[in-house]
Amino acid sequence: MIPRSDLFRDLSGSYELTSGATVSGPADLVDAVRLALPVLDLRPGDSGAVDLRLDPALGPEAYRLTVGSRGVEIAAGGRSGAFYAGQSLHQLLPPSSYRFSAGTAWNVPGVRIEDAPRFSWRGLHLDVARHFFPKREVLRLLDLMAVHKLNRLHLHLVDDQGWRVESRAYPLLHEIASHRARTATNFSRDPESYDEIPHGGYYSLEDLAEIGAYARARAVTVVPEIDVPGHAQAILTAYPEFGSSDDRWQVLERWGITRAILSPKPPTVEFLTAIFDELIGALGETPYVHIGGDEVVLDHWAESKEITAYRDSLGLSSNGELQAWFLRRLADVLAERGARAVVWDEAFVSGELRPDTLVMPWRGMGVGRRAAAAGHDVIATPVFPLYFDYAESASADEPMAIGDAITVADVAAFSPVPDDWTREERVRVVGAQAQLWSERIPDPRTLDYRTWPRACALAEVTWSGSAGDDFPARLDEHLGRLDALGVEYRPLDGPRPWQRRRPHRPGKVPVSEVMKRLNAMTHDAESTKPTV
Ligand code: ACM
């Protein structure tokens, strides 16, 4: 089983589950188990082959599952717990049960499982800005996350290279900022080359509503990200009036960062408030909104007399503090709407944030520790080993990646809570999340390859706290489930011939060098200065 359950005991005997068997219990739990096990075509009834009950003594995601000779019993702490019991029961059936053409009777081995997650945030991030992934791909990713008990989908909805959601209040965002004429194809720091192919796309508000509902049904919370005040070139292509200079922009066609930065003044806050209202209105219940704060180039703030005067009027002495002030304003707006802000770690380093803001330390757990010590909840997101846009191995056979290498074993060995942290710091870590930045993930087939099976290791670490010794053996078996689900994962011994594509450039950007540079940056930033 992946992820590993807390307790798994073989019982003698088994039970034959047949298609169309009855399931009994509270309606929302029944609904969750039916959704987790569509192959069984379970029918609600008074008493059944599968009996469900709510046990308020269990946490909302916890469950107990017993398969005995008289049937299946599930006790769950809530709808999510019942959904996860259904997923675990599914994994007791053979891999072919993940196919639509599966059989109609299943011999389920007798077991007793008691299970609860170690971390409440078990996340995947998907950058739909650098390359757009249509709604159907997002729904499919949610299905695959559900199989692995992953429960946060962080959608990076805007960056310099594109804006990806309809706005009725500011329609030029989806009309103009959602596409670019061409896309860079060169490897890091090599001479620029472009594909000369237009790229674009965006989710309608109806799409977003569907994604939110689909995710909720599968115990996943969607975390939308509007990355500000930097990474703003697409936004400023559509609405330059929210910028900090007289520059005119066009949606960026290459990778890297730019000087495009939103103005921190009240009209920008009003603009973003309208965007938040549209996003939250469409997604439905939205407990978290990510507001970015990474890689901000503050030059245009420093050069603007108007923004400097505004900063002075607020009694702030640095542009880093002004950035933190701006993000605090946005976090207050979100709090009024029932959502907590999430930021990348530079935002924390820039100055004082709203205390309930969650921090994602991508530049390493050193800066994560500082955020935890300051009382922020922290989601472990370090480049090593959680940036899944890095190559799967240091081999030219891998598809072109940002750098190398992050292996399945690296992810499995990751501990979201470093041992040497104090108790107070450790309890601040709410979980971990892998990042799928999409500069080098141009299409869904590459997305499958980059995500799986590294995300299986992420699921194991975030659900169970650490990977078990038998993880490799369980993963081997689990790949049969991914085959049945039609996932084009990376085979453990390397890519299939057609998965090689444009060759990776091993050795050019080793992840150890990247981490050294990022750690040095955060160290300098003892100073609270932004890092770029
Ligand atoms: C990031 O990688 N800029 C969060």
Side-chain angles (χ1 to χ4, degrees):
M1 183 162 305
I2 291 205
R4 180 177 88 253
S5 57
D6 251 358
L7 177 138
F8 187 104
R9 191 181 307 137
D10 289 316
L11 301 182
S12 62
S14 62
Y15 184 75
E16 190 176 76
L17 264 176
T18 52
S19 180
T22 49
V23 53
S24 69
D28 57 336
L29 304 194
V30 165
D31 173 61
V33 170
R34 294 180 72 219
L35 196 61
L37 270 162
V39 66
L40 286 179
D41 188 24
L42 292 168
R43 310 282 168 87
D46 287 339
S47 78
V50 181
D51 282 319
L52 292 167
R53 77 188 164 78
L54 192 66
D55 182 347
L58 297 172
E61 296 187 300
Y63 68 92
R64 285 192 303 270
L65 166 66
T66 310
V67 180
S69 55
R70 292 205 307 276
V72 178
E73 286 175 12
I74 291 169
R79 191 187 178 282
S80 300
F83 185 71
Y84 294 142
Q87 292 295 351
S88 295
L89 181 57
H90 200 160
Q91 291 202 20
L92 296 174
L93 310 182
S96 60
S97 68
Y98 287 87
R99 294 182 188 275
F100 179 72
S101 57
T104 55
W106 310 98
N107 199 43
V108 192
V111 291
R112 167 110 182 134
I113 294 174
E114 292 179 14
D115 207 8
R118 165 66 182 84
F119 294 106
S120 60
W121 191 295
R122 306 181 299 280
L124 273 186
H125 150 289
L126 179 62
D127 171 8
V128 296
R130 270 57 174 265
H131 282 102
F132 179 68
F133 292 88
K135 180 197 72 178
R136 62 176 182 274
E137 301 302 333
V138 176
L139 301 185
R140 178 172 176 276
L141 185 60
L142 286 164
D143 282 334
L144 294 174
M145 288 176 68
V147 168
H148 295 84
K149 303 184 175 87
L150 293 167
N151 71 345
R152 301 278 185 269
L153 177 62
H154 170 172
L155 284 180
H156 186 74
L157 288 170
V158 56
D159 215 297
D160 299 301
Q161 295 83 2
W163 172 275
R164 301 290 175 226
V165 63
E166 177 190 10
S167 172
R168 293 181 192 159
Y170 293 94
L172 298 183
L173 288 170
H174 65 265
E175 288 170 9
I176 287 179
S178 66
H179 53 100
R180 56 182 183 256
R182 58 181 192 163
T183 297
T185 53
N186 57 290
F187 196 71
S188 313
R189 297 192 188 88
D190 282 357
E192 285 183 13
S193 59
Y194 292 88
D195 64 3
E196 307 303 337
I197 300 170
H199 180 86
Y202 65 90
Y203 307 111
S204 69
L205 292 174
E206 283 82 4
D207 290 339
L208 214 55
E210 184 182 355
I211 289 169
Y214 196 88
R216 260 191 302 283
R218 286 154 184 79
V220 179
T221 299
V222 174
V223 181
E225 178 180 357
I226 301 296
D227 193 354
V228 294
H231 287 284
Q233 191 153 324
I235 296 175
L236 293 179
T237 302
Y239 292 99
E241 60 267 41
F242 297 121
S244 306
S245 70
D246 294 330
D247 292 2
R248 288 294 175 265
W249 305 92
Q250 70 167 13
V251 177
L252 194 64
E253 297 168 346
R254 59 165 178 83
W255 315 125
I257 53 178
T258 82
R259 285 151 54 98
I261 181 172
L262 300 181
S263 162
K265 295 185 66 182
T268 310
V269 173
E270 281 167 37
F271 158 67
L272 291 170
T273 300
I275 296 297
F276 293 154
D277 281 336
E278 285 189 302
L279 272 182
I280 295 172
L283 272 173
E285 191 187 337
T286 303
Y288 310 99
V289 174
H290 202 302
I291 51 177
D294 61 319
E295 299 180 315
V296 184
V297 183
L298 293 166
D299 297 357
H300 285 176
W301 285 7
E303 290 160 13
S304 161
K305 287 199 180 65
E306 194 187 310
I307 290 173
T308 303
Y310 185 63
R311 185 191 80 193
D312 293 346
S313 77
L314 297 169
L316 302 172
S317 54
S318 76
N319 288 326
E321 278 179 53
L322 182 57
Q323 183 192 336
W325 178 91
F326 175 70
L327 295 171
R328 213 160 58 228
R329 279 286 300 118
L330 297 180
D332 288 341
V333 167
L334 289 170
E336 286 161 15
R337 288 151 180 78
R340 282 173 75 184
V342 188
V343 296
W344 299 110
D345 64 63
E346 294 98 317
F348 161 73
V349 173
S350 71
E352 196 180 331
L353 301 175
R354 227 185 110 92
D356 64 353
T357 298
L358 294 102
V359 177
M360 290 186 167
W362 68 280
R363 294 176 301 166
M365 292 306 280
V367 66
R369 182 175 197 173
R370 286 168 49 202
H376 289 285
D377 284 342
V378 166
I379 299 142
T381 53
V383 169
F384 184 81
L386 297 182
Y387 269 33
F388 287 4
D389 52 336
Y390 281 69
E392 293 70 14
S393 76
S395 157
D397 283 348
E398 306 296 352
M400 189 191 269
I402 281 284
D404 52 26
I406 292 176
T407 66
V408 176
D410 290 330
V411 181
F414 179 63
S415 173
V417 184
D419 287 341
D420 58 344
W421 289 21
T422 67
R423 210 198 78 80
E424 289 73 21
E425 290 160 353
R426 290 206 309 264
V427 297
R428 286 292 171 190
V429 180
V430 298
Q433 176 179 285
Q435 278 50 249
L436 290 154
W437 298 104
S438 62
E439 290 96 332
R440 302 283 153 73
I441 308 183
D443 54 52
R445 297 185 77 173
T446 311
L447 179 63
D448 262 15
Y449 185 91
R450 294 256 117 106
T451 309
W452 313 103
R454 289 189 289 194
C456 302
L458 173 78
E460 174 100 350
V461 163
T462 52
W463 180 274
S464 312
S466 62
D469 293 340
D470 59 346
F471 174 72
R474 279 182 291 110
L475 182 59
D476 236 11
E477 190 187 346
H478 188 69
L479 295 181
R481 298 183 190 111
L482 297 188
D483 282 326
L485 285 161
V487 178
E488 294 188 278
Y489 59 85
R490 177 189 183 275
L492 296 172
D493 58 359
R496 299 172 197 275
W498 59 89
Q499 291 176 316
R500 289 182 189 146
R501 305 178 169 226
R502 271 189 294 148
H504 180 55
R505 302 276 294 280
K508 196 151 174 173
V509 191
V511 73
S512 53
E513 285 306 310
V514 174
M515 287 309 291
K516 238 186 267 167
R517 190 168 49 84
L518 292 173
N519 274 319
M521 266 162 44
T522 52
H523 212 68
D524 296 344
E526 198 58 65
S527 63
T528 74
K529 286 271 183 344
T531 54
V532 177

